[in-house]
Amino acid sequence: MAKISFDLVSPENLIFNDEVGMIIVPGKDGDIGVLPGHSKLISSLRSGRVMVYGENKDLLKSFFVSGGFAEVNPEKCIVLGETVEEMNSLDKNSIEKEIQELQNKDTDESKQKILIANAKIEALNASFYEKI
């Protein structure tokens, strides 16, 4: 099977760089599955999971991004995430506690943080795309 080069970048550093079989990214209007040979595409991202698969469609890694952009061409996919965290590093209890603390504040920043925290909870509860 063919491979596609994948780079996942946060503002601080390069998080992931390897040849993979497939990537699923949370596009602004829906999830985007990227395979080798994909047509050229640029999309903004919503908060959600980036799923990285090997050649045998086995899940290698999953990450949470809180927005950003994806650029795809037939040989490469680059995801520029506003923030990037590995899914297995997210703790549901601490996120729920953060939401409770943020609900007491009434600022635009706290509202945005609540939206991202809720997206993290949703991503942790989701089981779709675990197996392809």
Side-chain angles (χ1 to χ4, degrees), residues 47-59:
S47 295
R49 294 186 304 171
V50 173
M51 312 288 284
V52 183
Y53 298 88
E55 285 186 273
N56 299 327
K57 302 291 188 258
D58 51 320
L59 182 62

Side-chain angles (χ1 to χ4, degrees), residues 42-107:
I42 294 179
S43 176
S44 57
L45 302 178
R46 68 183 192 288
S47 295
R49 294 186 304 171
V50 173
M51 312 288 284
V52 183
Y53 298 88
E55 285 186 273
N56 299 327
K57 302 291 188 258
D58 51 320
L59 182 62
L60 300 176
K61 291 235 179 210
S62 61
F63 301 91
F64 180 84
V65 295
S66 62
F69 293 90
E71 179 181 353
V72 179
N73 66 48
E75 299 85 34
K76 187 167 187 127
C77 174
I78 302 170
V79 172
L80 308 170
E82 290 176 11
T83 64
V84 180
E85 299 173 71
E86 280 201 51
M87 286 297 297
N88 59 14
S89 72
L90 298 178
D91 177 49
K92 190 174 181 177
N93 292 330
S94 63
I95 296 168
E96 290 171 342
K97 183 179 177 186
E98 178 187 355
I99 291 171
Q100 289 177 344
E101 292 170 2
L102 288 168
Q103 287 174 335
N104 297 330
K105 301 174 183 173
D106 192 30
T107 65

Side-chain angles (χ1 to χ4, degrees), residues 103-121:
Q103 287 174 335
N104 297 330
K105 301 174 183 173
D106 192 30
T107 65
D108 288 341
E109 182 183 356
S110 64
K111 290 175 185 174
Q112 183 63 29
K113 286 182 178 180
I114 288 172
L115 289 174
I116 292 169
N118 283 326
K120 287 179 183 178
I121 296 289

Side-chain angles (χ1 to χ4, degrees), residues 2-6 16 18-23 36 52-54 60:
K3 290 185 175 183
I4 185 168
S5 178
F6 176 58
F16 186 92
D18 205 353
E19 299 278 320
V20 300
M22 181 174 80
I23 311 108
V52 183
Y53 298 88
L60 300 176

